[in-house]
């Protein structure tokens, strides 16, 4: 993301002008833009003109529109699946891999005068890459939104891990960047059982077909030549990953692809997982081999912290709290050492009652208060598996620096409210007397 322009005063009023360049930038914009914001971006609008004779004609006009946001929708493109026949038809093709394109749609009434569009007319902006987007927040920019803008503009980002999650005959190709996990492609090749194939010849032929299909898909969907790619992960139950790695090295040598051979030798990490499903990437990110290579990346840090929380929950539940109400009680007592919070809680762009501007403000104040007390705040991306796991725990959790009994704390809160009520009644009686 490029920061084209920015003016925000000390009270948070102002605007930011951004230029998205890739899918992750679209995800950042989805998390930055909220209900009520004023967003200006290029748009194409069908305009009707009425001539002096009464005839009408319509044509498309390219213009810049400012709308007041009422809804924001984000979607990442799904990964196509491939059978062995489909993949074999691609062998020998020199075309590059199709890029994954995310879609961001911003809807709302037009908020500035335009000679082609009336004020208040409803319009949906389709945000495009390399097109400037101007965002102005009516209620002002809070610290979380400004931090997101700053983070999104850090140069040199991109996919840092290419992962192939495979089983016998199946594989999912994934790209992990700081804020997103994208499944770019899937393949499935029928593999007969060893026992059902005399001499295992049918099994071996099917596995050879699977390895060939996987090799061609890997070349198209994993950017192994990218300088930002720090690791290539081959993950599987059993020993499938060993067979895949050996087959790929052999095929790369046969084709004379020295760049791929070097990338596989230097960057490949083979990891055991319990099942050949994408959600097993959480296990991958917790493996010692990956932690050693990627300990400085955001998504690896998320996995480590979430694992630490679950271990604490099992060993000492008085130091592992989750849920908005309980976490706020822990924060009031200065007990939080690490706050785990999902970016989903800060989005107020949909109609879900669990996500609105008032709640966002509460969470922003919670984050700021915890940071002021010296605690670590880890913001989880809900486009990563670890973020989705946290969302299942209400999206917010905390590792405490000292144990607190939930029941005792809640009893103290009830007593405090009761005391406050009695004092209020006493003041009312005194005023009446």
């Amino acid at each position: 993301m490029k920061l084209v322009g920015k003016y925000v005063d000390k009270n948070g009023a102002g605007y930011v002008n951004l230029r998205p360049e890739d899918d992750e930038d679209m995800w950042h914009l989805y998390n930055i833009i909220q209900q009520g914001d004023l967003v200006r971006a290029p748009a194409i609008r069908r305009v009707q003109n009425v001539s002096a004779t009464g005839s009408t004609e319509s044509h498309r006009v390219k213009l810049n529109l400012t709308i007041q946001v009422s809804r924001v929708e984000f979607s990442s493109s799904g990964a196509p699946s491939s059978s062995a026949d489909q993949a074999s038809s691609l062998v020998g093709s020199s075309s590059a891999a199709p890029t994954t394109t995310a879609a961001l749609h911003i809807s709302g009434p037009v908020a500035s005068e335009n000679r082609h569009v009336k004020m208040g007319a409803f319009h949906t902006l389709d945000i495009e890459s390399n097109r400037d987007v101007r965002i102005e927040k009516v209620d002002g920019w809070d610290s979380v939104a400004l931090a997101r803008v700053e983070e999104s503009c850090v140069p040199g980002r991109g996919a840092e891990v290419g992962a192939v999650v495979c089983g016998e005959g199946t594989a999912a190709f994934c790209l992990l960047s700081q804020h997103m996990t994208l499944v770019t492609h899937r393949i499935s090749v029928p593999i007969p059982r060893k026992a059902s194939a005399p001499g295992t010849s049918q099994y071996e032929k099917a596995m050879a077909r699977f390895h060939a299909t996987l090799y061609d898909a890997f070349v198209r969907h994993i950017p192994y030549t990218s300088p930002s790619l720090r690791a290539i992960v081959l993950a599987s139950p059993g020993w499938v990953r060993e067979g895949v790695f050996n087959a790929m090295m052999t095929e790369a040598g046969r084709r004379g692809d020295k760049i791929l051979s070097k990338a596989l030798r230097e960057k490949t990490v083979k990891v055991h997982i319990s099942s050949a499903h994408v959600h097993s990437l959480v296990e991958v990110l917790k493996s010692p081999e990956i932690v050693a290579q990627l300990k400085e990346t955001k998504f690896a840090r998320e996995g480590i912290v979430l694992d630490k929380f679950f271990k604490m929950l099992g060993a000492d539940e008085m130091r592992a709290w989750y849920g908005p109400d309980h976490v706020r009680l822990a924060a009031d007592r200065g007990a939080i050492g690490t706050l785990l919070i999902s970016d989903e809680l800060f989005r107020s762009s949909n109609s879900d009652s669990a996500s609105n501007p008032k709640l966002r403000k509460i969470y922003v104040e919670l984050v700021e208060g915890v940071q002021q007390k010296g605690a670590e705040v880890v913001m989880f991306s809900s486009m990563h598996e670890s973020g989705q796991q946290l969302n299942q725990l209400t999206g917010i959790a905390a590792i405490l620096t000292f144990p607190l009994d939930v029941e005792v704390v809640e009893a103290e809160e009830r007593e405090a409210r009761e005391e406050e009520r009695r004092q209020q009644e006493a003041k009312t009686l005194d005023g009446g007397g």
Side-chain angles (χ1 to χ4, degrees), residues 247-304:
M248 289 187 66
M249 287 295 293
T250 300
E251 185 64 14
R254 189 183 71 81
R255 297 191 187 189
D257 194 336
K258 294 181 180 179
I259 296 175
L260 177 56
S261 295
K262 183 181 179 183
L264 288 172
R265 280 196 308 272
E266 296 178 355
K267 296 182 179 181
T268 298
V269 180
K270 290 170 276 188
V271 180
H272 174 79
I273 52 177
S274 57
S275 65
H277 297 287
V278 175
H279 61 71
S280 296
L281 284 173
V282 174
E283 296 177 44
V284 171
L285 296 178
K286 291 190 293 187
S287 65
E289 305 95 324
I290 292 295
V291 169
Q293 286 197 27
L294 306 173
K295 58 186 177 183
E296 296 176 0
T297 61
K298 173 181 168 59
F299 55 81
R301 179 62 184 154
E302 290 177 10
I304 293 168

Side-chain angles (χ1 to χ4, degrees), residues 359-379:
L359 273 180
R360 176 188 169 90
K361 189 174 181 181
I362 290 172
Y363 289 126
V364 169
E365 291 174 352
L366 174 63
V367 167
E368 292 174 346
V370 166
Q371 287 175 329
Q372 287 171 3
K373 293 175 182 176
E376 179 188 13
V377 176
V378 181
M379 187 83 71

